[in-house]
Amino acid sequence: MKSITAFGFVLAGVVASVFVSGHALAAIPNSSVSSVINGGATCHNYEGKDVGTFEFYGHGVTNGSPSLSKKVICPVTKRSSNFNGLTVRVNMDSPAANTVSCTLYAYNWNGTSLGSKAVKNKKSGKESLTIRVPSSTTRTYFSLVCSLPSKERSEIYSIESLD
């Protein structure tokens, strides 16, 4: 009987926490939050053959290849009620200019391209690359592909999707 009562209290606590967190998440689309931030470790290898090439840390992702530049694909999201494209900021660190390049792609629901934009880092050290694709629809999906130099010399810390 004691274990059933204890289980009931635990279950009630779990249900209450789900409802509380559900209300908090439901409030986000109507709030003034203007960006979604994903950590660099959410990126993954662009090509299947590169599994195991990247180093994932709590603070980001690097290319562990001893000699070749490799690509990662990173998640980006946007509010469906905004049809003015998407701006993405890639927060990263690199030892030299023009060593990291990122391209933001936009596709319509049927796979047709709505455009893309590419940028390269301009300096060494910490930098934020800003990329904008100017058009989107209610069912546009986006992808961000970045090329990182070898030997863990550059790191992507986070990706911000800005409305």
Side-chain angles (χ1 to χ4, degrees):
M1 184 66 171
K2 289 180 184 178
S3 63
I4 291 174
T5 304
F7 177 77
F9 284 121
V10 170
L11 183 58
V14 169
V15 170
S17 69
V18 167
F19 283 120
V20 169
S21 66
H23 289 294
L25 291 175
I28 289 174
N30 297 324
S31 71
S32 63
V33 174
S34 62
S35 68
V36 176
I37 301 172
N38 292 304
T42 61
C43 301
H44 57 88
N45 51 295
Y46 182 72
E47 296 184 35
K49 67 181 180 174
D50 293 333
V51 169
T53 301
F54 296 95
E55 301 293 329
F56 298 94
Y57 303 100
H59 49 78
V61 61
T62 64
N63 174 7
S65 171
S67 61
L68 298 173
S69 175
K70 300 285 184 174
K71 293 179 182 177
V72 293
I73 186 166
C74 304
V76 290
T77 57
K78 76 173 227 35
R79 294 181 186 187
S80 61
S81 61
N82 178 342
F83 310 122
N84 297 322
L86 179 67
T87 300
V88 171
R89 186 174 12 214
V90 180
N91 300 304
M92 45 87 56
D93 190 1
S94 187
N98 296 315
T99 56
V100 174
S101 63
C102 293
T103 304
L104 178 62
Y105 297 94
Y107 297 97
N108 208 349
W109 61 272
N110 61 2
T112 58
S113 175
L114 293 175
S116 64
K117 179 71 176 173
V119 296
K120 287 188 175 189
N121 66 314
K122 296 179 176 111
K123 60 182 184 176
S124 65
K126 291 179 174 45
E127 183 176 359
S128 292
L129 307 178
T130 302
I131 313 166
R132 176 157 179 73
V133 175
S135 67
S136 62
T137 66
T138 55
R139 300 192 317 180
T140 299
Y141 59 96
F142 300 90
S143 58
L144 176 72
V145 177
C146 294
S147 180
L148 296 172
S150 62
K151 300 180 184 172
E152 300 179 14
R153 294 180 298 170
S154 295
E155 182 169 1
I156 295 176
Y157 295 121
S158 64
I159 301 92
E160 297 179 63
S161 301
L162 308 172
D163 271 349

